[in-house]
Amino acid sequence: MRLIVGISGASGVIYGVRLLEVARELGVETHLIATGWARRTIEHELGRPAAEVTALATASYHPSDLSSPVASGSFQTAGMVVLPCSMKTLGALAAGYTADLLTRAADVCLKERRTLVLCPRETPLHAIHLENMLRLSRAGAIIMPPVPAFYDRPRTLQDVVDHFVGRVLDHFGIRSGLYAEWQGMGPEAVDEP
């Protein structure tokens, strides 16, 4: 399986990095596009050299390299995730503006009807953000903000990150074992008036 992974410069790069780590452990072929700001954010938020993170991917491409394989629909992939997805990237995709490889690869997924998961990391959201998300959802993208789940009672930040990354991978049919499936609370939990 081939998966394209985009990391934009938004806060929350820990999610994209963890996805690369897990994909590598599972033997998933990853093709990474990390923007310049993503590299800076990796170093700032995680204290890791960006080169260490890009080395986690099977292949890594410069955002200006529009001649790379992931720029073409003939390069077969399971799809793409942009994690995190900045509002700049989201807005460009919503407008069909593909000036760099990250937006071009995502646009290819849309046109080829491949799975595209966008994980916008911004709050609060204004009307333009919301309209861009709706427009992309209507075009076939899965809009999946990195919102933590608490039903599995996470104890650490790693638990929160792993749960979300596992849910993202589910959209590509990749079972990661990073979280336990919801089993319900049982009928005794319901207190109806």
Side-chain angles (χ1 to χ4, degrees), residues 32 70 87 101 103 115 141:
L32 174 65
V70 298
M87 290 300 117
L101 184 59
T103 52
T115 301

Side-chain angles (χ1 to χ4, degrees), residues 184-191:
M185 293 188 291
E188 67 280 354
V190 179
D191 184 20

Side-chain angles (χ1 to χ4, degrees), residues 3-23:
L3 181 63
I4 304 170
V5 179
I7 301 179
S8 75
S11 182
V13 292
I14 190 171
Y15 290 106
V17 173
R18 182 64 177 139
L19 188 138
L20 287 170
E21 291 169 345
V22 172

Side-chain angles (χ1 to χ4, degrees), residues 92-111:
L93 287 170
Y97 182 68
T98 58
D100 64 12
L101 184 59
L102 181 64
T103 52
R104 170 62 187 169
D107 190 68
V108 165
C109 287
L110 286 176
K111 79 179 184 70

